[in-house]
Amino acid sequence: MTTATPDAPSRDDLSKELIDLQQSMLPSLIVALPILGWAWFGLVLMQGWRLGLNLAPLVILLVGAYASYRLYARHFRLACWVLLSALTFAQVAIMGEHPSSLASVGGVVVAVLASSLIGLPGAVLVTAGNWLANALVWHAASGAPLGTGTAIQSGVLYGLTLGAAWLARRPLNSSVECALAGWVRARDALMEVRERRGELYRVVRALEEATYRMERVNNELVVARREAELARALKARFAATVSHELRGPLNLILGFSSMMVLSPERYPDPLPDCYVEDVDAIYRNSMHLAALVDDVLDLSQIEVERLPLVKDRVDLPRDVIGQVVEIVQPFAERKGLRLRAEIADALPWILADAVRLRQVLLNLLNNAIRFTERGAVTIRATSDHERLRVTVQDTGPGIAREDIPRLFQEFHQLQLTETRAERGSGLGLSICKHLVELHGGEIWVESEKGAGTAFHFALPLPGLGPVVAKARHIPDTPLAKEGPRTCLVVHHEPTTVRLFARHLEGYRVVGAPRDEVTNLCEQLHPHAVITSSESVAPVAAALRRMSLDVPIISCVMPDAQRDAGHSGVLGYLIKPVAPELLWAVMNGLQPRGQLRILLVDDDPDAVRLLERMLTALPHPYTIMRAFDGAHALEVMEQDVPDVALIDLVMPGIGGQQLLERMRADAKLQNVPVVIVSARDMTEDHLTLSTPITLNTQRPIEFARGSHCLRALLDALTARYPAGIEPH
């Protein structure tokens, strides 16, 4: 490995540095000339010599110093010659006034200074002139011939002085050149260091500015993210609150209008013909409003990623297509449309949430029937050994090519018909897209204006399709770059799965029966499996057989009826109550003889609606009414009912307190209860029973294990007698 060395200084650089050194000598010599002059003047006074010509050296030296000072800045070489000339003339003047060999020694000083200031050639010239002037003055003063011994001696002395100065100057010059070379290198290195330091300083300043901007942007992103999360949470809360407040009035509007339209024979007097069309419009629009409330709730759950999928083995023709066709068939017949189902033979089963797939297909069929005036609506189901594909094709007006990209946007509607009655909420297709993508599939549309529309969605077969859902997600940690991690909940109740999905922040919860755990683990690659304590052993054994190392968390799973304290609860009916659901619950009682039914609701209209629905059944009932909890207890004290339909949210003694008092009363504790409410309160009372255990096939590192323990310590608190707090 070689290192770069700085370039050696050039000859010109050294010459320049030597000239700089010579120039630094001249100011000192200029100052020395007046000092020498005044020293000579002092000597003259001390010796008592006559002034006269003895003042000439003083004047010469003063004039020479002044002239050199004036020429120094502009003409350095000329200033040197003037200074040396002044020294020569002063020395000659002294020699003329005091001729002696000692006076001629002053020429040695001139020779040395000339060698230092102007170099050897100039020094020879100055020394020769000084010697000649001294010889002439000596000759004129003493009358001795020029070739006498004194002149020769002074010439030899001057020559030896120049030679000695030259010999001494050579190593000095070499030393000075070396020193100057090192100094030049050091100077150049210092300049380069300064330049690099300046560049580094500028880079550091730029980095500081960039860091400041990044910190500012990061802070803004943090604030924006918090605001977005808060807005999303408020949106979900607002949707849930509004839907709860809407369900009560909707229950009455939809219930009474459906009874008038679908069961007019239950009324003693027939409805005048002029009212029938209006009531039918009320019924249809209330159905639309109820569907809109459900869509808003589904959309809010999707956006906060709390919409769970309860996956099971699904036979698409039987579990989805057949049931949906049965629902929409009357709608298609009323419009005079043919509804056809073209299903390929031997379609494979898939792992999916049948309820959500029915919701997707029902939305697509409703849209197709609503916007098709004549012709047919066709459902096709095929398989290509990798995906199962479903197509809903109609003969409607079609969709312009430029409108297709906006179809799946929220609250976006296309004006395909001229009547407002055929317009939707703009949420159905958006929800379909999210639900299909949550299954790892995709949905798209093919259409041309005037040529009908075909909606397609494809779902992956087990183990063959993509496993990462495309639901929108703002990652909380760097581990969630492609969406939330999946958690598999092994449970048979969708209510429990929804509960886990609501509280497991950052995870996409998928519910599954126990016999489908291995298939879903291969398809979804879940982060962990949550199951009941009794299912740990078979689930772990199944995973080991498939060589899957997935952590298993076990606990005593919540049970809606057990944990809510509602023993004997036959069901939960969420408003608006469909007559079919109420009739299904009542038929489950297998009544024998006339049943006494107690209706408890703080809204008299809601009580009257339930009574109207019950009287539509062929079985005879005795209806008792109560409009709050206290009134219900009074009624039941006089006559114990066979079944009670109770609203949970009531003033005074609410539905929950009423249930507790009924279970505490030996006479009422076995009375079956059906909860009818616009609010599902089972979540408020569900619990996870201990022990909660973690099962893995490999040991856990201490650091990770300590994180698990820390999470448990943060979530749990101890209880002590009153007045004692845990520390």
Side-chain angles (χ1 to χ4, degrees), residues 36-80:
L36 289 175
W38 288 108
W40 169 254
F41 181 71
L43 180 61
V44 170
L45 294 179
M46 289 176 59
Q47 295 295 331
W49 297 335
R50 60 184 179 85
L51 297 177
L53 292 176
N54 284 321
L55 292 178
L58 173 61
V59 175
I60 292 171
L61 292 174
L62 291 176
V63 172
Y66 177 74
S68 300
Y69 172 75
R70 298 289 296 179
L71 295 172
Y72 167 70
R74 292 175 295 173
H75 303 287
F76 169 72
R77 301 290 292 181
L78 183 57
C80 292

Side-chain angles (χ1 to χ4, degrees), residues 259 263 265-266 579-580 582-584 586-587 591-595 597 611-622:
M259 294 298 297
S263 302
E265 68 278 2
R266 299 301 174 184
E580 296 82 3
L582 178 61
W583 297 340
M586 300 308 297
N587 289 333
R592 295 179 181 177
Q594 190 170 11
L595 288 181
I597 301 178
E611 181 179 358
R612 186 77 68 183
M613 290 180 179
L614 290 172
T615 55
L617 292 175
H619 192 82
Y621 296 106
T622 300

Side-chain angles (χ1 to χ4, degrees), residues 228-261:
E229 290 177 348
L230 178 60
R232 189 171 59 175
L234 291 177
K235 179 181 178 181
R237 186 183 303 173
F238 173 78
T241 303
V242 169
S243 66
H244 172 261
E245 296 300 327
L246 288 176
R247 287 184 188 276
L250 271 177
N251 180 52
L252 300 177
I253 298 173
L254 186 59
F256 281 122
S257 60
S258 65
M259 294 298 297
M260 293 179 186
V261 172

Side-chain angles (χ1 to χ4, degrees), residues 302-319:
I302 290 172
E303 289 185 341
V304 298
E305 293 178 348
R306 290 180 178 176
L307 183 69
L309 296 179
V310 184
K311 288 193 174 184
D312 200 350
R313 187 189 296 256
V314 174
D315 182 0
L316 195 72
R318 183 191 65 205
D319 299 332

Side-chain angles (χ1 to χ4, degrees), residues 683-706:
E683 176 187 344
D684 300 336
H685 304 279
L686 293 179
T687 60
L688 285 177
S689 301
T690 55
I692 299 176
T693 59
L694 173 64
N695 298 269
T696 61
Q697 298 183 25
R698 64 187 187 281
I700 302 176
E701 298 86 349
F702 187 83
R704 290 191 175 184
S706 63

